[in-house]
Amino acid sequence: MKRQSNDLGHLLAQLDAGAPLAQRHLWLISLLDWVRGNRRSVEAAVGRMQLFVEAIEKDNAARQRLQDWWNALVGTVDITTLLADFGFAPRTALASEVAERLRYKLLPGSPETIDASELFMLALPYDFDALWLAALDEALLARLLSAMAPAEAPGATRWQRALLDAITYCAGQILSTGFAPELRLRMSEAARDAQPFHALIRDVESVRVEVLHQLRTTDRLDESVQRLRERLDACRAAAATVYSHFEDNGISVGLVFRLRQLRERILRVRELLDCLLSPTPAPTAARLMARLVTVGRERRSLRALLASNSSLLAAKVAERSAETGEHYITRTGAEYRAMVGKAAGGGLVMAFTTLMKFGLAALALSAFWGGFWAGVNYSVSFVLILLLHFTVATKQPAMTAPAMAAKLKDLHSDEAVVSFVDEVTHLVRSQVAAVLGNVLVVFPTVIGITLLIAKGTGQTAISTAQAHHVLESLHLLGPSLLFAAFTGVLLFASSIIAGWAENWFVLHRLDSAVQYNPRITRLLGTARAARWAHFLRENLSGFAANISLGFMLGLVPPIASFFGLGLDVRHVTLSSGQLGAASTALGLPVLHMPQFWWAVATIPLLGALNVSVSFYLAFRLALRAHSVTGVERARVYAALRSRLRRAPLEFFMPARRAA
């Protein structure tokens, strides 16, 4: 206690209202740093604040210096920027807000400022500050206020005027956002007809007049406040109708950001109103400051900003993926056989893709151009598979995972759990069918084609050295499994790109533009333009997924090598084709080589990792996007184990009763 008193005495001795601006603010920062101490005990911080108040009350000279310092502070620092604008983006764009938060994180702040927001973040930078501010009792706050500022003349206080100004500034920002055409045109027709934003400023001014010119009774003030509260609720409800537009017309992260800013400003006005009308202004102001400390912490968080504003886009991507993923889940014998046939067609195309990859390697291009043309090769093959209605097994998990996650929302009974386990068995055997269809066709097809090449040209399709390199690269004890997991990440990333591209296409109504734009209809004709619009709407997501995946498979390894990361890709279908080409080049003696069998053992694990990593990442995203919580995982796991013991073949083949 003696040491704390000595520190406090030193602080009070340094208090100088005539010091330069930066020094006055540094004294405040030092005082609050002394109050919070080691940030371990709220009671201790409150106790130090009580020590400060008692010391000021006992020392008339220190109290006078404090009052002079306080008058200098409130006379130079604009507190309305803290009350009205703190925590909000200075510009209504997500990109500028990201840059602003990076500035707060990376660049130091200066106490030489008249902006109360900047001074607030320097003086109260910790979450602990919100705790001890909220713990200050009314009596202590009244003593602190009396020591700092003598009683004001009757009428509206300086604090009330600052609150009224802050409410006016907030209302102006709400009005400008509500009148922005990007939001106004997306509101519902009923919300636009109601015109809730038009009278907002008038209602704010009505409250201002009643506070500044108070009558003996509060009837008129209560009426104007109630009218303003109802106006704010109407503005918030009108802005919320924009989300319904997003459901059918795509998500804009920038617009979501503006809507969230609008909602938070409306809530801020309500908080300021509560402070303005509170019969105990000091505790209410302390709680507001505590709330602003939390806002200041969130103000620096990039993760919170991106997560909150991209959640709707993630939900939209997951929703679209769930719709697409349903087509990849087979439930009957006929659907299972159809999946095997589509996978076989995909394996046939991938056989030629594999040989083209070896052909590009023979050109000995530079790392970047080799990766680029490999990406072109993969992209063309994947798009061809899409247009032929074939399938590549590894493309399915990122689409089927959201479909499974959506079903988790309804697990409220034992029957629902059993139904979910049924869906899991359908999904697993569909995936097994697709992988087997790819692998069991691509391997013999590559062998057949390379044998024909050898017979026609007199030499093998790839050299012996290349064949040994393939076997070495696919060795089970090498890094292939790590690369296969990394490939699963790329497969997931391609599904995200696909969802974003489709959302962008729908948001900007490009299908309608293709169908009705006069220049396009003159060029293509009305009927053909309509067919193109429908085709693009149905297939753009597939094009984006396949083209992006192809270029990632081709370009990521050389780019990673440039940075010294040593990452590569291992796609189960392509690896199976490469193993077939290596087998032909080495001939029948390959069957006696241990490296060959190590590579064969690697293939199923490559498929498992490609599928499981992609599925896991998409599943986790879908759970967050669909807000799926509280799932009784133990019940689901127990039901899955029971099904595995009772009917393990259902995970690989459709049951006869479903045929």
Side-chain angles (χ1 to χ4, degrees), residues 160-316:
Q160 287 178 316
R161 292 177 184 275
L163 288 171
L164 287 170
D165 288 342
I167 290 172
T168 302
Y169 299 152
C170 267
Q173 294 290 341
I174 293 169
L175 197 65
S176 65
T177 304
F179 281 165
E182 296 86 355
L183 267 64
R184 189 179 71 248
L185 295 177
R186 288 174 169 83
M187 293 179 189
S188 68
E189 185 176 353
R192 290 198 301 271
D193 291 342
Q195 298 182 337
F197 295 92
H198 288 64
L200 179 61
I201 296 298
R202 183 191 65 195
D203 292 339
V204 169
E205 285 303 310
S206 176
V207 172
R208 172 185 286 275
V209 168
E210 298 302 329
V211 171
L212 295 180
H213 306 284
Q214 294 183 12
L215 302 177
R216 293 179 181 273
T217 62
T218 62
D219 295 346
R220 290 178 54 178
L221 174 60
D222 294 340
E223 182 182 347
S224 62
V225 169
Q226 181 62 26
R227 189 163 55 247
L228 177 56
R229 291 184 187 277
E230 291 173 355
R231 180 71 59 189
L232 292 170
D233 289 339
C235 292
R236 185 175 174 181
T241 63
V242 177
Y243 289 103
S244 300
H245 182 276
F246 286 158
E247 288 294 323
D248 301 321
N249 299 278
I251 304 293
S252 167
V253 175
L255 288 180
V256 171
F257 174 70
R258 298 184 71 173
L259 283 171
R260 290 185 182 276
Q261 292 276 294
L262 176 63
R263 174 182 175 275
E264 292 300 323
R265 282 197 183 274
I266 290 174
L267 294 178
R268 177 68 60 83
V269 171
R270 297 184 71 92
E271 289 178 332
L272 297 176
L273 270 176
D274 291 338
C275 284
L276 180 67
L277 303 172
S278 174
T280 55
T284 309
R287 288 194 296 270
L288 176 62
M289 293 299 112
R291 161 80 178 124
L292 291 178
V293 169
T294 305
V295 170
R297 296 289 291 172
E298 295 172 352
R299 187 78 174 87
R300 299 178 177 89
S301 175
L302 274 174
R303 181 178 180 180
L305 173 70
L306 297 176
S308 63
N309 288 282
S310 60
S311 58
L312 277 180
L313 179 58
K316 192 68 176 178

Side-chain angles (χ1 to χ4, degrees), residues 545-584:
N546 289 296
I547 292 172
S548 63
L549 176 61
F551 277 101
M552 283 191 290
L553 292 177
L555 284 172
V556 167
I559 292 175
S561 177
F562 175 80
F563 289 102
L565 299 178
L567 286 175
D568 206 343
V569 294
R570 293 290 185 270
H571 190 281
V572 60
T573 310
L574 291 169
S575 297
S576 301
Q578 292 171 351
L579 184 59
S583 303
T584 306

